[in-house]
Amino acid sequence: MENIDQVIFYKLEKAIRSYRQFAQRQIKTSGFSITIDQWLTIQNILEHPGIKQQELAEKVFKDNASITRIVELLVKAKYLKRKVHKADRRRTTLIVTKEGEEVVEKVNEVILQNRAKALQEIDREQLMAMDNILHIITTNCQE
């Protein structure tokens, strides 16, 4: 069996964790109390108005209990509000508030800086190759 440090998936997980820790530090240092997962949740609601909470959980790679906690924190922070769904009164629609839009817009600047820092010294060809490889891995694992 090969050394765990040589396994590509271990390296991939390490890179993801390193980026998330770095990005969260940068967000906090910039004076924001929002987490990456909270930002990602709001961003997905903005991009997919009317998204169901289960679909939202899939998009942010969380289980239903975790996304429920994230949404609850965002509602308490007044970044989201719940509205009774017009067609199905048992459902609620998540709406991003003005405060939520403002914080996402400000944090987006930090996110872009984080991505630029993480991707420095990686050229477009390398990024395209990595994107293709990650797509193939994802497809292989969904069969």
Side-chain angles (χ1 to χ4, degrees), residues 19 113-123 127 130:
Y19 174 75
Q113 292 169 2
N114 293 343
R115 290 176 185 168
K117 171 70 173 166
L119 296 173
Q120 70 186 19
E121 299 182 33
I122 300 173
D123 65 35
L127 281 175
M130 183 170 61

Side-chain angles (χ1 to χ4, degrees), residues 49-109:
I51 189 172
K52 294 179 181 175
Q53 196 160 311
Q54 185 171 350
E55 294 168 338
L56 182 60
E58 290 171 14
K59 287 202 172 285
V60 297
F61 313 108
K62 297 291 177 190
D63 58 39
N64 286 333
S66 295
I67 199 66
T68 298
R69 283 191 297 275
I70 291 168
V71 166
E72 196 58 42
L73 288 169
L74 291 170
V75 169
K76 285 181 183 175
K78 300 197 184 317
Y79 294 149
L80 291 180
K81 64 181 176 180
R82 291 185 180 96
K83 184 177 176 185
V84 175
H85 192 272
K86 292 176 185 175
D88 184 354
R89 298 193 54 78
R90 295 170 294 175
R91 249 179 74 196
T92 59
T93 302
L94 296 171
I95 309 290
V96 179
T97 64
K98 182 176 172 91
E99 293 91 341
E101 288 179 9
E102 288 172 357
V103 76
V104 164
E105 187 176 321
K106 291 175 184 172
V107 171
N108 278 345
E109 295 173 24

Side-chain angles (χ1 to χ4, degrees), residues 110-140:
V110 179
I111 297 291
L112 291 174
Q113 292 169 2
N114 293 343
R115 290 176 185 168
K117 171 70 173 166
L119 296 173
Q120 70 186 19
E121 299 182 33
I122 300 173
D123 65 35
R124 182 158 172 73
E125 270 185 32
Q126 290 171 313
L127 281 175
M128 288 173 59
M130 183 170 61
D131 184 63
N132 187 46
I133 290 167
L134 293 173
H135 176 75
I136 292 168
I137 292 170
T138 302
T139 301
N140 289 345

